[in-house]
Structure formats: C-alpha cells, structure tokens
Amino acid sequence: MQDMNSETGYISWFENLSSKDVDQVGGKNASLGEMIRELKRKDIQVPDGFATTIQAYWAFLKENDLSEQIEDLLEAYKQEDTSLGKTGEAIRKLFLNGKMPPDVAQSIREAYQELCRRYDKTDVDVAARSSATAEDMPEASFAGQQESFLNVTGEDDLLRVCQQCFASLFTDRAIAYREEKGFEHMKVALSVGIQKMVRSDLAGSGVLFTLDTDSGFPNVVLINAAWGLGENVVQGAVNPDQYTVFKPFLGNEDLHPIIEKTMGSKEKKMVYAKKEGKEPTKNVQTPKKEREAFVLTDEEILRLARWSRLIEEHYQHPMDIEWAKDGELDSIFIVQARPETVHSQKSTATMKTYTLQEDGERLVTGLSIGQAIAVGQVNVIASASEIEKFKEGSVLVTTMTDPDWVPIMKRAAAIVTEQGGRTSHAAIVSRELGIPAIVGADKAMKELKDGQEVTVSCAEGDQGHVYAGHLEYEEKAMDLDNVPETRTRIMLNIGAPHAAMRWWKLPCKGVGLARMEYLINNVIKIHPLALTRFDQVDDAGAKARIKEMTKGHESREDYFIELLARGIATIAASRHPYPVIVRMSDFKTNEYADLIGGSQFEPKEENPMLGWRGASRYYSEDYADGFALECRAIRRVREQMGFTNVRIMIPFCRTPAEADKVLDVLAQNGLIRGQNALEVYVMAEIPTNILEAEAFAKRFDGFSIGSNDLTQLVLGISRDAEQLAELFDESEESIKRLIRMLITTAHQEGRPVGICGEAPSNDPEFAAFLVRSGIDSISLQPDSVLQVIRRVAEIENEKKDLESA
C-alpha cells in the first residue's frame, strides 16, 4: 500500500499526518492526523482512519478530463452567461458521472480492508468527510461547505461516497464563497477523510468550543450535546444540552468547575437506518426519558473539557471540536478539531454596545446570539428551496439553516430560527457575519407574520426577544485602547451571568455587587421556603409547577442550590481572580411574595422597603431554612467549584448586635469569616452603619455604600415617590458628609470602603467627589465604566499634583 510520501501515493493514514500536511490532505484531515499523532499519548481518544490525498483528486480530474470543462463552466458563470445554481449542478454532474481511476480505487479498497482488520470487522462502518486544502484555517472558514457521509460500509459504497465528496467541492455555496474570498477554484483540491464511526447513535454527540461563542470570553469551554449522531447539533436541527466549564481550574482534579448546565429539549435524534433502506441514517423522535435527561454526566463533561484544553494548548489557538460517545464502548472520542474562526479574528480593543430605549410587546423568545439589535420586516422562509423569495434587509425567520442558506443569511438584518443551540449552523454563521440571531425560538414561524415590522434584540442577556414594531435603540462604540490606570479600583455591578460574560473585556478589577435577586427572580423563580417546606404549600397550581420545575434534581432544595451556585460561579468566572462580592438576598416581602409559592410565607407590610428585609431575615426562624439554601450555594461555589474570589455582603444590617447574629448564622452554615480566605462585607446604607462604623468595622472586612437606600433614609424620601423625584439627590451635602465620615472611620480601622449604588454611574462628578474623599473602589453599571474611569484618572492626577506641590 502506497503512502502519500511516495511518488503516486493516493492514501495516507492519519497517524502519518501532521498539521504541516494541509496542502496534501486539507485542514480537517491534517488536524485529525495531528491529534492522533501527538495527542493520543495524552489519552485523548480519536478513531483511526485514513485520508485520500490531493493526488487522488487530481488523478480523478485527469482520468475524466474534467479540468478544462470545469474552467469553461466557471468562466460562463463569471461572465454571467449562466446562474450559480446551473453552474454548480453541471460541475457536480461531471464528477458523479466520472470514473474513479483504477489505481486510486485500489488504494482506497486496500486501505479500507486494513481498517477492517484493525477493528476486527468484515465491513467496518465509517464516516467519509470532505477536507478542502484551503479550509479550516483561522482566516478561512470553509466549515460545512462540502459534504460528509455517515454509516458507510463496504468498499463499493465507500468509493461512491468518495466521488460524491469530490463533487461537493463545487456546491453552490462553496463556489460562491471562493469567489467572494478570492480563492482560485482550480487551485483548491479535496481530500476525503475516512474514519471509523463512533456508535453515537446508541449514545450522544455534539460540538464544543474552547471559548464563549457569544462574547469571545476565552476562559471557558462551551459544550453542546444531543442524543444520537452529531449532525443534528451541527445543523441546528435540535435544541441541545449546554454545559459551560471554567478552563483555568481544569488542572485541579479536586474541583468541579461546571458553571452552567442547561437541559435542551433534544426533540429528535439521528440513528443508523436499516441496511435495506436508501439512506444509511434516519431521524427518530427522542424518547421522553432521554429528552428529560442530560446527555453527559458531570465526569464526562469534565473529561471533554480537559481534552479540549489540551487540544487548544497544542494548537495554540481557540478550537471548534466535534465529539461523540460510543454507546457500545461507553467511551468518548474526538472526531474533528479545527481553529475557531470568529472571535479569534476579532480585536479585543473595541466593542459595540446596544441598548433598547423603549419597551414593546414581546412576540417570541429564544437564545440570543451576539449582542446587537436590528429592525426589519419579517420574511418567513419554510425551506431552502424558497430562498429566492427572501427580501434583502429582512428578518429571516425559519426552522433551521444549513450551508445552503448562507447567501441569503448574508443579506439579512437578523435571523430567527425555531430550532438550534449556541453552536448550531445559524448561530455560528450569524456570529461570523456580525448580525443578531435568536435560535431555539419556539413557534417563531407561527407567531411572526410576513411583512410585519419587528425589533430583534440580543442585547438583554442570554435570552433574545423579538418585539412588535420598530423600537428605538442606542448603539455605542467603546474604544478599549489607552484606558488610563487608576488607583481607585473600578468594579462592575452585575446581576445576570450572561451579562458578566458580555462585559468581560472591560478593564474592571472585579465585581463590586453581584445581585443574588436576579438569579432568584429570573432563573430559580420559586420561593426558597416553598422548596424547604414543600408539604406546607397550599396553592395546588404552585405545587404542580414546583414539581415540574424541580424534576431531574436530587432534591427540591438542590434545584435552588444548583441554579444559584452556577449563576454566581459564572459571574465569578468572568472576573477571576479579581474579587466578586455577592450580596445575599435583599428582596422585600412583597417581592418575595411574587415568587412561585411565596405568598403564604410572607407577611403583608405597609412599607416593605423599611420592613423585614436583608439581615433581619437571615437569623429569623421564619426564614432561616431559606437562608441556609443561599449559604449552601455559596459554599458550593467556593469549595467545590473553586471560586474563592467570591466574597459575601450583608445588606440592611441595622445594628452591630444584628451583625453578630448574622455572622453566627453564617458560621452555623459553614461560612466562617476568615476561613478559606472568606471575607464578609456589610452594606453601608443605613445611617447607623456610618454612625457606628467603628463597631461594624470590627465585625466585617469592608463596607460598600448603597447610595440609593442611604439617600432614602437620610432625606426621608421613598425611592419610589414620583412626586418627590426632584428632591431625591445623592449629592446632597448631608449624604456627602456621611460618606466622608464613613471613609475616614473605616480607614482608621483598616477597612476598605467601596460604593455599589447608582450615583457614580449616573454622575461622573459624584465619582469625582468619591475619589477626592479617598474611596477605595467604585462599582459601576457597565455602560458608564470608560467615562467614569477617565474622570477618576483626571481627579487622581489633580490630587497627585496638589500633594507634590
């Protein structure tokens, strides 16, 4: 059997290939060879196989005298004498009607026979994948433009699909892409990778990226998974599971850094078809038991993540990886790896932000892809055969996309698909094109009508929304170059985990306020006591919802702990190793009552703002078991996941005696101040926190000013009093005097003071006052960070000049 190194070699085994052989076997096959050759020794499992070389492709063209005929057809297309569709069809027909050269055919047969011997099978099942010589380079994203064939068995079938792979070098989308990018058609060749199939039809498969595919955040591994063969995940034909793992902790076997686990609906799965059928694979409905289960165990998620980190380190580049689990062997394999081609090419020095300026009627919701907003008229397209109906600048609405859709996707204002996850075709292409997309938007084709004007918003977190009508929005460009350094620590106020990922590029040194309320209200949605005291829940409807929502968790309490812990961990990951200060729950009783099952556990108060909130709840027998869930979530984040950069903050702590009770309850729940580097802060939002700052400083590691509540309680004005809104001013001298007093006392006691209230975000001059007063940190809303940093740097320079004068 000949190898490609010989004069007429048509075959090379993967173990003889490396990343240097792209010009011989294309990027995909060179990468497979590199992994088998270099990474198997690190226990990364990759199925064996071989590749046809470009010599086989050129021999096919020569045997059938195709080069001149192809060039004539392409020239006619360039001269606009014929359409792209007719050109592609005519070229592919030439390939399919051709004959495989005898010596090429013999080489493929012999290699297949050897693969059968390696796996001790008569007719081994293989996947045949196209690999073009210019694809899978960081600057050239050819992924998905050529064909792949699964569950191919027997020499004759293999020869047939090799010919089909050759023909797929001239799919319409591939021709158009090469024209656009300036690649010469006749200088690009195609190799076919023949690889032992992984029996993921009996288990599951999917894709992963070694960065966050929406924000480009580099410190995570994002894994999508579905039951059956992987084509459904790649094409976006199902809504898959999604798992996110924090990369820097993967070297520590004692940690469990899975920061997200979201169960997808996984409506269908691709499996082997019976031999007598025309197609080797088919889609079937996923059994209910599998739809309601995660595809991978935590151990398997971490193993895949560790492999992906090794692969990324080897290639020195963010990677896009396909994986599959063999149901017969109960073992996971890597089947493809290619460079990630979207975020790795973007500059980290700039970012655009989009903000909706008005509310509107939400029509459909799904996963947001990108962070932009777009307005346009709906254009519902049911299938690729109807894409000529698409109107440029419209919002494309369809079930799912594949590479055939790319020509119209490029002309869309936004994309909405009913199916797919964050690694689906629609998601990947929309990111590459820089347009907003919403995937997995249930019933989008029914709810959105042709010609209807809509606003597509991906700027509100991990959920994207389609609104009726044209809503006003603001677009800003943020230049992250030449941002001045400041002595004052600039931090972020964050509630939503996805927002934390979105703003990772901002030059902030931690999170000064991570709001637990967002996670409880928007993710968990159930009152803590309705979980710990489920048997006492009177509302039958609430009880049924709680049962449904907590299904699949070890216990109802674990539902709360896991969702809260993963949300906090995501925020902590976005700023690691800088500190992330998590404020324990600070709902008012009326807000708690609005949670599922909550009304019966909450008293009705005339003024909830000044009632049973913050610290007073934590040690109360009426809420202690609810607070214990919060503590268990924090412990999971710090001890099991490894985020010891998480600090906790106690809100609305009225007296030093109350502080003692809270610290005692924290210790009873395993959160002992000073142990495992745990720091506990207190909000300074009540005048007593400042008037008795010395006593509070002996109990806590630092202060964080809540300017809204402090202003409310000093001026005697409710934050919600519209008629008194003009009087509600944090820059009143009485407020400033208290802030200066706190900073002075805290510093005398060796304690830092920060601020997490709205005032410095809304008013850079208030930030300037804080700097002049000696504040240690300022925590801001993300969109005000750069403006405030520049003003803070100016004031610090002024202070420095005065001190040196």
Side-chain angles (χ1 to χ4, degrees):
M1 186 172 60
Q2 296 169 319
D3 192 84
M4 74 175 196
N5 296 320
S6 64
E7 189 176 339
T8 59
Y10 300 126
I11 296 296
S12 183
W13 288 87
F14 286 140
E15 65 259 28
N16 296 327
L17 293 169
S18 74
S19 56
K20 297 177 181 178
D21 295 314
V22 173
D23 60 339
Q24 287 293 314
V25 294
K28 192 178 297 176
N29 289 335
S31 179
L32 276 171
E34 180 81 13
M35 280 198 298
I36 288 175
R37 183 169 168 169
E38 301 294 335
L39 296 174
K40 263 196 169 182
R41 70 186 73 166
K42 296 185 178 180
D43 297 324
I44 295 176
Q45 298 191 111
V46 186
D48 276 345
F50 59 93
T52 66
T53 65
I54 62 166
Q55 281 82 3
Y57 174 80
W58 296 127
F60 184 91
L61 263 59
K62 184 177 180 181
E63 175 78 14
N64 296 282
D65 195 24
L66 296 186
S67 294
E68 191 173 332
Q69 298 179 68
I70 293 171
E71 287 176 337
D72 288 345
L73 289 165
L74 288 170
E75 186 59 32
Y77 166 60
K78 289 177 184 177
Q79 297 299 322
E80 299 184 355
D81 293 337
T82 186
S83 68
L84 173 62
K86 288 182 179 178
T87 302
E89 184 180 8
I91 295 174
R92 294 191 297 275
K93 195 171 183 180
L94 292 174
F95 278 91
L96 298 177
N97 289 339
K99 179 184 176 185
M100 189 69 77
D103 49 350
V104 175
Q106 185 60 26
S107 294
I108 294 172
R109 289 181 187 276
E110 289 178 1
Y112 180 72
Q113 291 163 11
E114 170 60 20
L115 191 63
C116 290
R117 283 192 290 273
R118 291 187 181 191
Y119 283 97
D120 196 24
K121 289 191 174 185
T122 305
D123 282 325
V124 70
D125 50 339
V126 297
R129 293 185 173 91
S130 303
S131 178
T133 52
E135 73 173 349
D136 292 337
M137 296 294 96
E139 69 282 356
S141 178
F142 275 66
Q145 293 188 11
Q146 284 82 45
E147 301 294 344
S148 294
F149 300 89
L150 305 178
N151 189 21
V152 179
T153 55
E155 298 169 21
D156 292 341
D157 278 353
L158 179 57
L159 287 170
R160 175 179 54 81
V161 299
C162 284
Q163 208 159 319
Q164 289 176 278
C165 286
F166 287 167
S168 74
L169 189 58
F170 290 92
T171 59
D172 297 353
R173 56 188 180 262
I175 295 171
Y177 188 87
R178 288 195 294 271
E179 284 287 314
E180 180 186 341
K181 297 296 183 183
F183 288 96
E184 293 186 40
H185 297 283
M186 300 311 293
K187 288 189 176 179
V188 177
L190 191 128
S191 162
V192 183
I194 294 98
Q195 186 180 30
K196 170 69 176 74
M197 281 287 293
V198 176
R199 290 302 306 269
S200 57
D201 60 308
L202 305 175
S205 55
V207 297
L208 68 83
F209 286 81
T210 60
L211 46 62
D212 180 66
T213 52
D214 277 339
S215 66
F217 181 59
N219 285 346
V220 293
V221 176
L222 179 75
I223 303 171
N224 275 187
W227 299 106
L229 301 171
E231 294 302 295
N232 283 335
V233 178
V234 174
Q235 294 172 4
V238 295
N239 298 321
D241 292 347
Q242 180 163 298
Y243 320 119
T244 306
V245 186
F246 188 58
K247 253 189 312 197
F249 290 169
L250 286 170
N252 188 335
E253 297 281 344
D254 294 329
L255 296 180
H256 198 270
I258 301 172
I259 62 175
E260 181 201 8
K261 277 179 72 175
T262 303
M263 187 176 292
S265 51
K266 308 180 290 286
E267 307 88 348
K268 59 186 176 182
K269 64 176 181 176
M270 185 177 288
V271 298
Y272 280 15
K274 292 182 179 178
K275 290 293 181 186
E276 57 267 21
K278 289 184 178 180
E279 296 295 331
T281 60
K282 64 177 180 179
N283 271 312
V284 298
Q285 187 174 0
T286 308
K288 185 173 184 288
K289 185 177 179 182
E290 290 183 344
R291 290 200 309 272
E292 295 177 352
F294 287 114
V295 174
L296 295 177
T297 65
D298 286 0
E299 188 276 329
E300 289 169 334
I301 293 168
L302 292 172
R303 187 191 317 156
L304 261 180
R306 289 188 177 104
W307 284 0
S308 70
R309 190 181 69 152
L310 291 171
I311 293 169
E312 181 181 56
E313 287 174 353
H314 178 77
Y315 285 96
Q316 293 292 296
H317 198 283
M319 298 298 288
D320 167 359
I321 297 168
E322 293 182 31
W323 61 271
K325 181 179 178 181
D326 194 304
E328 288 181 337
L329 303 174
D330 192 30
S331 193
I332 295 177
F333 293 83
I334 301 296
V335 294
Q336 282 193 55
R338 62 179 74 89
E340 191 274 341
T341 57
V342 179
H343 286 287
S344 54
Q345 299 303 301
K346 287 184 179 177
S347 166
T348 58
T350 58
M351 62 186 296
K352 281 188 176 180
T353 66
Y354 295 79
T355 309
L356 274 179
Q357 301 291 296
E358 55 183 322
D359 295 327
E361 177 194 357
R362 286 182 182 175
L363 302 175
V364 297
T365 293
L367 293 174
S368 62
I369 305 300
Q371 297 156 6
I373 297 173
V375 175
Q377 291 188 341
V378 169
N379 204 166
V380 179
I381 306 287
S383 72
S385 63
E386 300 177 355
I387 59 176
E388 71 279 357
K389 297 178 183 177
F390 183 76
K391 301 178 183 69
E392 186 160 357
S394 298
V395 174
L396 171 63
V397 179
T398 189
T399 306
M400 54 174 275
T401 67
D402 61 34
D404 288 328
W405 292 74
V406 172
I408 66 167
M409 294 171 78
K410 291 178 179 178
R411 309 198 321 266
I415 298 166
V416 180
T417 66
E418 291 189 331
Q419 298 175 351
R422 294 197 187 282
T423 58
S424 64
H425 178 269
I428 291 170
V429 171
S430 66
R431 281 192 293 267
E432 185 170 338
L433 297 174
I435 59 176
I438 297 175
V439 299
D442 190 36
K443 298 180 181 176
M445 294 180 71
K446 178 182 177 183
E447 298 295 333
L448 304 177
K449 311 300 180 187
D450 254 336
Q452 175 184 17
E453 188 171 49
V454 296
T455 300
V456 178
S457 172
C458 294
E460 301 168 75
D462 56 352
Q463 294 292 303
H465 308 288
V466 180
Y467 294 93
H470 183 147
L471 302 185
E472 292 299 318
Y473 65 92
E474 182 181 48
E475 177 183 348
K476 283 184 182 177
M478 301 178 76
D479 182 4
L480 302 181
D481 270 339
N482 304 315
V483 178
E485 283 287 327
T486 61
R487 178 200 63 79
T488 308
R489 184 189 289 268
I490 303 299
M491 305 174 83
L492 280 178
N493 291 338
I494 289 289
H498 196 266
M501 290 292 187
R502 175 186 177 193
W503 297 105
W504 73 271
K505 292 181 184 177
L506 286 177
C508 296
K509 296 181 179 177
V511 172
L513 174 63
R515 302 180 190 91
M516 192 178 283
E517 295 81 36
Y518 176 89
L519 290 163
I520 295 173
N521 199 40
N522 295 282
V523 179
I524 297 168
K525 302 180 181 179
I526 302 172
H527 193 288
L529 300 184
L531 297 167
T532 62
R533 308 177 193 179
F534 180 73
D535 292 340
Q536 298 177 26
V537 176
D538 296 330
D539 185 334
K543 210 161 190 173
R545 287 183 70 189
I546 292 168
K547 279 184 178 178
E548 180 63 26
M549 291 170 69
T550 58
K551 188 168 52 183
H553 289 266
E554 290 181 10
S555 66
R556 294 185 181 94
E557 290 89 347
D558 189 65
Y559 165 84
F560 184 99
I561 295 164
E562 181 172 336
L563 293 184
L564 183 57
R566 295 199 193 284
I568 292 170
T570 300
I571 297 172
S574 72
R575 288 291 153 189
H576 186 271
Y578 290 118
V580 170
I581 302 173
V582 178
R583 185 176 69 189
M584 306 304 278
S585 64
D586 191 28
F587 278 131
K588 289 66 176 176
T589 50
N590 58 322
E591 295 167 334
Y592 264 120
D594 287 339
L595 296 171
I596 297 169
S599 58
Q600 75 180 80
F601 296 107
E602 296 297 329
K604 286 185 169 54
E605 297 182 312
E606 289 297 324
N607 191 348
M609 191 74 76
L610 296 180
W612 192 39
R613 59 177 285 199
S616 60
R617 296 181 71 98
Y618 305 158
Y619 57 84
S620 167
E621 289 185 5
D622 291 328
Y623 187 71
D625 44 334
F627 184 63
L629 297 184
E630 299 178 27
C631 294
R632 288 168 66 185
I634 295 290
R635 286 191 65 186
R636 186 174 292 190
V637 170
R638 288 176 51 85
E639 296 170 16
Q640 295 180 28
M641 297 184 185
F643 292 101
T644 53
N645 61 321
V646 166
R647 301 169 180 177
I648 58 178
M649 182 155 65
I650 306 302
F652 229 75
C653 188
R654 292 175 168 95
T655 66
E658 189 169 57
D660 290 334
K661 291 180 181 179
V662 171
L663 290 169
D664 186 52
V665 170
L666 286 172
Q668 290 172 32
N669 284 286
L671 293 171
I672 301 170
R673 179 180 163 224
Q675 193 173 94
N676 194 23
L678 175 63
E679 294 187 4
V680 184
Y681 281 60
V682 66
M683 291 285 290
E685 54 193 340
I686 307 170
T688 55
N689 299 140
I690 297 168
L691 296 172
E692 296 193 62
E694 187 176 344
F696 280 103
K698 287 179 169 55
R699 291 160 170 82
F700 294 102
D701 296 289
F703 296 85
S704 184
I705 299 165
S707 57
N708 286 346
D709 269 328
L710 184 61
T711 303
Q712 171 179 250
L713 295 171
V714 172
L715 298 182
I717 300 173
S718 170
R719 292 161 53 175
D720 302 326
E722 291 184 17
Q723 290 177 309
L724 301 175
E726 289 185 9
L727 296 175
F728 193 95
D729 185 359
E730 296 97 329
S731 61
E732 279 288 333
E733 183 55 36
S734 56
I735 311 296
K736 289 183 174 181
R737 185 177 298 180
L738 284 173
I739 290 173
R740 284 192 291 262
M741 186 188 304
L742 173 65
I743 293 171
T744 298
T745 306
H747 285 178
Q748 287 172 352
E749 297 297 318
R751 297 288 185 246
V753 179
I755 186 167
C756 60
E758 298 288 327
S761 294
N762 297 333
D763 181 7
E765 287 313 304
F766 191 83
F769 150 73
L770 292 168
V771 174
R772 293 189 184 104
S773 301
I775 197 94
D776 297 286
S777 65
I778 300 176
S779 195
L780 301 163
Q781 300 302 328
D783 58 358
S784 65
V785 164
L786 296 184
Q787 178 188 13
V788 173
I789 283 180
R790 292 190 171 97
R791 185 66 180 122
V792 167
E794 289 174 6
I795 300 303
E796 289 182 350
N797 287 333
E798 288 175 10
K799 282 182 68 178
K800 190 176 179 181
D801 291 343
L802 285 172
E803 289 167 1
S804 60

